[in-house]
Amino acid sequence: MKAIYYKVLLLGFCCFLGANTLSAQKATEYFDPETDPVATLVNGKLRLIVSEEVLVRSVRMTLARIGLIENIDRQYLEGHWFLILESRHALNFEQAVYVALRLKPDGQGNYFAEHYWDACTGEACSGCMFDQAAQRCFCKYDKPGAPGENGFCMHTVSDDPLLKKVPLKPD
């Protein structure tokens, strides 16, 4: 009788471990910006934990204007780390899109995406940037196809989540 009891107990324990392993595997199949850090601070430098490809797919869920990403950078501005994405507009390759997503620390060196971001979208500008001091967008270059004429960038500020939950591997 004891042998049967121990076998049932062992079988139950194995099922418990298997269920926990399976749920852990399912949990790691997605990047969830509400629970997963974007970056970590190592020797004073902010390093991405999530691949650039996953970040781009996550951003595109909210900001469809993001096209070809030209640069992903991390900058420390006015007491906060920001994730900076510079890209081409998805529908018009001549236009630029610049996004600055503020990151928040957890006190253990990990940084999560905040629900605050700025976007500068080219309206006749092939190189939008954000001026942190003036809190405005500006165009680095002339209007495309019109040398000597200033370009223009639209400024969007949002406190909605920019990053969305996405699978770690593309479908």
Side-chain angles (χ1 to χ4, degrees), residues 23-42:
S23 67
Q25 286 174 342
K26 285 184 180 181
T28 60
E29 291 177 7
Y30 286 88
F31 164 66
D32 185 352
E34 297 299 322
T35 59
D36 300 332
V38 173
T40 188
L41 198 60
V42 178

Side-chain angles (χ1 to χ4, degrees), residues 3-20:
I4 293 174
Y5 175 74
Y6 286 123
K7 286 181 183 177
V8 170
L9 186 61
L10 182 62
L11 180 63
F13 183 70
C14 289
C15 288
F16 173 74
L17 286 179
N20 281 345

